[in-house]
Amino acid sequence: QVQLVESGGGMVEPGGSRRLSCAISGSGFNIFAVGWYRRAPGRQRELVAAINGDGETQYSDLLRARFSISRSDVGNTVYLDARGLLLEDTAVYLCAVSVRPYARTYDYWGQGTQVTVSS
């Protein structure tokens, strides 16, 4: 069983920065990809960034300039660094893990961490 716990959310002023963390725990699986998504009020869930087991990254074209995904050396924590935050970045940010190679969907999801951008 895979468990994902996101942290680092909170209130931030426009233009500010935030580091979100996704702690991955469990046993008996390999991680092939980790994605960060967000779900804003009244909007569909959207991909922010993803990273695979080789360290290759993928970003939303609209967000790549302000968001950066990385992982710890051990690989059990994946980070999402956000800078220049805008009001429209307010959302629940969720991480997801794929334990299958070349999968088109993610197998496990965290509960999310709320980021609120407000002055």
Side-chain angles (χ1 to χ4, degrees):
Q1 185 72 14
V2 179
Q3 294 180 329
L4 307 175
V5 178
E6 302 95 332
S7 61
M11 191 83 71
V12 60
E13 293 186 348
S17 301
R18 205 78 184 180
R19 164 167 271 202
L20 306 181
S21 299
C22 174
I24 305 168
S25 62
S27 61
F29 60 91
N30 293 315
I31 299 171
F32 290 93
V34 179
W36 275 102
Y37 283 75
R38 71 182 186 181
R39 185 174 60 237
R43 300 183 64 178
Q44 289 189 337
R45 186 177 64 195
E46 64 175 336
L47 175 70
V48 179
I51 187 167
N52 67 14
D54 295 325
E56 297 170 333
T57 57
Q58 174 190 359
Y59 291 93
S60 160
D61 288 338
L62 295 176
L63 302 175
R64 66 170 60 242
R66 299 187 294 112
F67 288 80
S68 177
I69 190 170
S70 61
R71 63 186 182 188
S72 62
D73 290 339
V74 179
N76 60 347
T77 303
V78 175
Y79 306 101
L80 183 68
D81 290 296
R83 60 186 182 276
L85 285 164
L86 307 172
L87 297 178
E88 52 263 42
D89 292 320
T90 295
V92 175
Y93 286 75
L94 311 101
C95 66
V97 163
S98 175
V99 297
R100 297 169 292 139
Y102 312 113
R104 292 178 177 270
T105 59
Y106 289 93
D107 302 297
Y108 298 93
W109 291 81
Q111 293 297 310
T113 185
Q114 174 72 46
V115 174
T116 302
V117 184
S118 175
S119 56

